[in-house]
Amino acid sequence: MKENAPEKIPEAAPRAFPAVIPMEARHLPQVCDIEEECFPIPWSRREFEREFRENKLAIYFVACDGGKVIGYAGMWHVVNEGHITNIAVREGHRRKGVGNALVKALVDEAVRREMIGLTLEVRISNERAQRLYARHGFKVEGFRKNYYADTHEDAIIMWKYI
């Protein structure tokens, strides 16, 4: 009598990490916590609420691990262009693909909405973010002198044409 081969158990589909979803009002407290953790001059909760509830141009996504928001990204859809306003990832989740997933979500949304391109400003000293954006096809197009109020640091203007 032949031995029965063990039943092959199908593998679970790999879970996409992180889950990137449209931001909802329930995410605001965690988004504000991340903002305060990441930026020397953070946006206030009131600014985020106004952005989320009143700004018809605003598009925001959050990256989640389980029920916890670990990053967020936003942009404004102005006429036929996107202006990325902010991207931030919690300290313990950096260099794990979260920022990459958030930028991809913004680019995908820009394509879906048929924008002609995306632009952003980034600190001249933030080489890590510049490399992230370059991996997604953003290119340096100019500079803004003394752009950041906290340090008067210059900003690099980057564009990705779609």
Side-chain angles (χ1 to χ4, degrees):
M1 183 172 164
K2 280 186 167 180
E3 287 184 39
N4 289 337
E7 183 180 335
K8 193 169 189 177
I9 299 171
E11 291 183 27
R15 180 174 79 102
F17 177 83
V20 177
I21 60 173
M23 188 169 86
E24 298 175 5
R26 66 187 171 96
H27 299 126
L28 285 173
Q30 292 182 76
V31 166
C32 290
D33 288 346
I34 295 168
E35 177 77 4
E36 287 184 18
E37 176 185 313
C38 294
F39 297 107
I41 302 177
W43 286 13
S44 69
R45 179 176 176 115
R46 186 173 180 198
E47 289 170 307
F48 271 107
E49 287 173 347
R50 184 175 24 238
E51 188 78 354
F52 183 72
R53 288 177 170 69
E54 298 171 21
N55 185 351
K56 302 298 182 209
L57 305 176
I59 301 163
Y60 280 83
F61 292 96
V62 292
C64 298
D65 185 14
K68 185 176 181 179
V69 176
I70 57 174
Y72 72 92
M75 69 177 166
W76 297 333
H77 184 180
V78 182
V79 186
N80 61 354
E81 301 172 353
H83 181 92
I84 296 175
T85 55
N86 39 22
I87 298 176
V89 176
R90 286 191 188 275
E91 181 71 39
H93 295 277
R94 294 182 189 157
R95 303 191 57 79
K96 296 179 181 178
V98 178
N100 188 62
L102 287 164
V103 173
K104 182 181 181 320
L106 294 175
V107 170
D108 289 350
E109 186 66 12
V111 169
R112 190 183 75 74
R113 292 181 183 227
E114 299 180 346
M115 295 181 198
I116 63 167
L118 291 168
T119 187
L120 58 86
E121 292 90 8
V122 60
R123 287 179 188 267
I124 203 162
S125 64
N126 194 344
E127 294 175 6
R128 185 184 299 173
Q130 292 169 40
R131 286 191 301 273
L132 169 66
Y133 303 136
R135 281 195 302 273
H136 286 273
F138 285 80
K139 301 213 178 320
V140 175
E141 294 283 335
F143 298 90
R144 296 197 195 282
K145 289 290 196 186
N146 302 312
Y147 184 74
Y148 293 96
D150 59 332
T151 61
H152 302 288
E153 185 175 359
D154 296 345
I156 294 174
I157 303 166
M158 299 181 83
W159 272 90
K160 174 186 176 63
Y161 297 99
I162 300 173

